[in-house]
């Protein structure tokens, strides 16, 4: 979801209606699209392969794209001559992306806590000679 929202805002920024001081070009948007897909795909593939550090890498990727959303919002208000409704729409979509990313962090930390608790319980049971 994070990737889709990021790409949506990226492509919105290429539209002439945005009236950016330095308009985003389609070629740049294509490059950003492929890089974003590669980053997300690489971390998700590592997660599917059960590489433990993949979740930390994905956290970094999501943090980078969260900063990107903040940059998009500031660009709309500082470097755009578009109508206020256009600015608010694009900013709302970017803000939704930030919320999606924050929610991902909440879920990831809950999952991490649950996994740590499970690992801790297994160690205790192993020490007691019990099996799970």
């Amino acid at each position: 979801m994070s990737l889709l929202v990021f790409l949506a805002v990226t492509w919105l920024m290429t539209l002439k209606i945005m009236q950016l001081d330095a308009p985003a070009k389609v070629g740049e948007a294509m490059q950003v699209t492929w890089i974003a897909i590669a980053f997300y795909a690489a971390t998700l593939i590592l997660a599917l392969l059960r590489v433990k550090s993949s979740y930390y890498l994905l956290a970094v990727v999501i943090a980078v794209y969260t900063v990107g959303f903040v940059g998009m919002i500031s660009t709309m208000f500082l470097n755009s001559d578009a109508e206020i409704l256009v600015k608010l729409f694009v900013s709302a979509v970017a803000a939704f992306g930030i919320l999606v990313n924050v929610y991902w962090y909440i879920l990831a930390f809950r999952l991490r806590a649950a996994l740590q608790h499970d690992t801790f319980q297994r160690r205790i049971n192993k020490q007691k000679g019990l099996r799970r």
Side-chain angles (χ1 to χ4, degrees):
M1 181 65 120
S2 173
L3 174 63
L4 295 177
V5 175
F6 181 80
L7 294 178
V9 178
T10 297
W11 284 96
L12 282 172
M13 300 288 272
T14 65
L15 301 176
K16 290 185 184 205
I17 195 171
M18 298 306 153
Q19 298 180 9
L20 296 172
D21 293 345
K25 297 179 178 121
V26 172
E28 294 169 346
M30 282 299 297
Q31 188 176 24
V32 167
T33 297
W34 289 116
I35 291 169
I37 289 171
F39 280 156
Y40 277 90
T43 55
L44 292 175
I45 289 169
L46 289 172
L48 289 173
L49 295 173
R50 298 187 183 265
V51 175
K52 289 184 181 183
S53 63
S54 63
Y55 294 104
Y56 298 108
L57 293 172
L58 184 56
V60 170
V61 168
I62 289 180
V64 167
Y65 287 102
T66 301
V67 172
F69 284 129
V70 172
M72 291 170 174
I73 293 170
S74 68
T75 296
M76 285 309 299
F77 284 102
L78 299 176
N79 300 323
S80 173
D81 295 326
E83 295 180 27
I84 191 68
L85 289 177
V86 172
K87 290 180 180 183
L88 289 174
F89 174 74
V90 174
S91 297
V93 175
F96 175 71
I98 293 170
L99 291 175
V100 166
N101 289 352
V102 168
Y103 185 64
W104 180 89
Y105 276 106
I106 291 168
L107 291 178
F109 286 119
R110 283 184 184 166
L111 177 62
R112 182 174 181 256
L115 292 175
Q116 284 180 334
H117 178 73
D118 188 49
T119 301
F120 180 70
Q121 286 297 331
R122 277 194 241 146
R123 286 182 185 166
I124 288 175
N125 290 340
K126 189 175 181 181
Q127 287 177 354
K128 291 180 179 179
L130 301 174
R131 289 193 176 191
R132 231 177 170 197

